[in-house]
Amino acid sequence: MKTIYLASASLALLFASVSCSENYDIYPEEYSKVMMFKDSGAHDFTIYSPHSVSTFPISVMKGGWDPQSSSEARVRVMTEEEFNDWLLESGAGYSYLPNNCYSLSSEGQSLEMSLDFNGGEGYKVLSLNVFPPAVGSFMESYTDASRKPVIPLVLESKDGLIDIDNSEMFIIPDYKEPTVSFLNGGVCMLEDGETSYTLKVGLPFESEWDLTAKIEVDPTVLEDYNSNEGTSLGLMSADAYAGVGDVAINQGDEYATVTVNVDLDKAGFRNAIPLRITTLSLDGFEIGESTALIGIDNASKYKIDITADMLYANDCYSGDGKGVPGLCDGDFSTHFHSWYGSNARNFDKFGSYVEFTLPKEIQEIGFDHANRQSYNNGHVKRVQLYAWDGEDWVLFADCDAYGKILLDRMDVGQFGSFHCPFKFNKFRYSVIEADGGSLVGKTTAFWSCGEIVVYGK
């Protein structure tokens, strides 16, 4: 907010501009010197918590028809009583900021400042010193959201005229903690073959401080992303990347960079590095957009060719679709369908599953799962993966992201990577839940699928 009274300012400047005229004596003596705030009215003033003091410049102008005359003026803070009277007249939505929060002097605390104009001086600049720590303490207990605390200033003079329309200023401190953020965070998926990503960490303006931000891997960032977006990216192993650590933002810079390098041979596929800004080296700062997710897909190079003789289904309806071969014939328009009808089946913990025997051992696995395209039913919602360790079936993945992605008959979801603690070549793709409900226990629920593409490493 800012109010400028052009008519009054123009009048005063007019007196200054004609002061050399031989006809100056037609003006009354009281107009020989007229003083005003250069920018009267209300001004927002952002102050930041790390500063001990923030300075707001105030300009006072002197005009009139006799610029060579000397003059005295005084800028002072309104008393609280004066301010309350002004509020009654103006109806402004302000409140009085306690005077321990500011000073018109650089030494000690002063609520007024005298200004002496010598002959020929047209303006003076003084500083209002605002103390962010004191303002911050006040704001912690301030609860009136309808009124902004202000510093009310008034201009006075003993020997000159004050332009009444430009005699008051209201400084509105806006107390903030500077925010340090990932400026290009969020989800950053590397293109095939890319091996690095450079993150920018900084403030929304040039930094006035030297500070260091610590960046750490935080698996909960990945968990939250997968849950919210219906994805199932895996956590990239720590030996597959480098560069995560501290980043220093120097005074005068808007941001600093940190480059995360990825070893694609070790990184696998459909994995991600979840990062968070965790701590800052200085107090009085906030951590803003604090997370970044650097991910890779890169799955195509790990595709495993599957044939029908590698598969066994414990729950296949042979009269609908192509049966088991429909899962791996390379044609998304053909389909597999589990048993359906009025008679319930009774499944153990594995639910309705397809068992795969792979031509090689792997430890990391992912899938493309395509819905049946010819009809809109039987969508898979949840899948569990069991690997054979030579003695028993071991559960190593449980994914409910299917239900957030496979919503339409033409949908294809990309799932994984899922990491098993040991190498395996035999696993069960266990459908635990579909449109019709649970497939564990006694159920009439069923599922269908256009194709399952397998990736493994």
Side-chain angles (χ1 to χ4, degrees), residues 14 24 26 40 66 89 105 116 131 136 160 169 201 219 278 283 288 308 326 384 394 453:
L14 173 63
Y24 65 85
I26 66 173
S40 60
D66 185 7
E89 293 180 9
S105 171
D116 294 323
F131 310 126
M169 287 186 74
V201 181
T278 57
D283 294 332
Q384 290 181 339
V394 178
V453 180

Side-chain angles (χ1 to χ4, degrees), residues 371-392:
N371 273 344
R372 172 186 176 178
Q373 296 182 354
S374 58
Y375 198 67
N376 192 30
N377 71 352
H379 296 172
V380 172
K381 290 188 173 182
R382 180 181 173 194
V383 169
Q384 290 181 339
L385 300 178
Y386 290 84
W388 181 252
D389 69 356
E391 297 181 359
D392 201 0

Side-chain angles (χ1 to χ4, degrees), residues 2 50 70 120 122 125 172 200 207 216 230 253 259 292 311 318 355 453:
K2 179 177 172 182
S70 61
V125 178
I172 310 171
K200 295 180 179 180
S207 177
E216 296 183 283
D253 292 338
T259 299
L311 309 181
S318 58
E355 187 172 302
V453 180

Side-chain angles (χ1 to χ4, degrees), residues 366-430:
F367 306 93
D368 292 345
H369 182 114
N371 273 344
R372 172 186 176 178
Q373 296 182 354
S374 58
Y375 198 67
N376 192 30
N377 71 352
H379 296 172
V380 172
K381 290 188 173 182
R382 180 181 173 194
V383 169
Q384 290 181 339
L385 300 178
Y386 290 84
W388 181 252
D389 69 356
E391 297 181 359
D392 201 0
W393 292 103
V394 178
L395 174 67
F396 70 93
D398 188 343
C399 180
D400 63 358
Y402 288 70
K404 298 180 181 179
I405 295 176
L406 303 177
L407 305 177
D408 183 78
R409 62 195 181 105
M410 302 300 292
D411 287 342
V412 179
Q414 298 177 334
F415 303 98
S417 212
F418 303 107
H419 188 83
C420 184
F422 55 87
K423 290 185 175 182
F424 62 91
N425 76 323
K426 184 181 289 189
F427 72 94
R428 285 181 175 175
Y429 190 86
S430 298

Side-chain angles (χ1 to χ4, degrees), residues 10 39 49 102 106 114 123 158 187 209 263 296 408:
S10 298
D39 295 301
S49 55
Y102 47 85
S106 59
S114 296
Y123 70 93
K158 293 181 179 179
V187 182
W209 313 270
D263 184 337
I296 60 169
D408 183 78

Side-chain angles (χ1 to χ4, degrees), residues 33 35 70-74 115-117 156-160:
K33 40 195 174 184
M35 285 163 285
S70 61
S71 183
E72 296 180 3
R74 179 176 68 163
L115 303 173
D116 294 323
F117 287 90
E156 298 173 333
S157 177
K158 293 181 179 179
D159 62 354

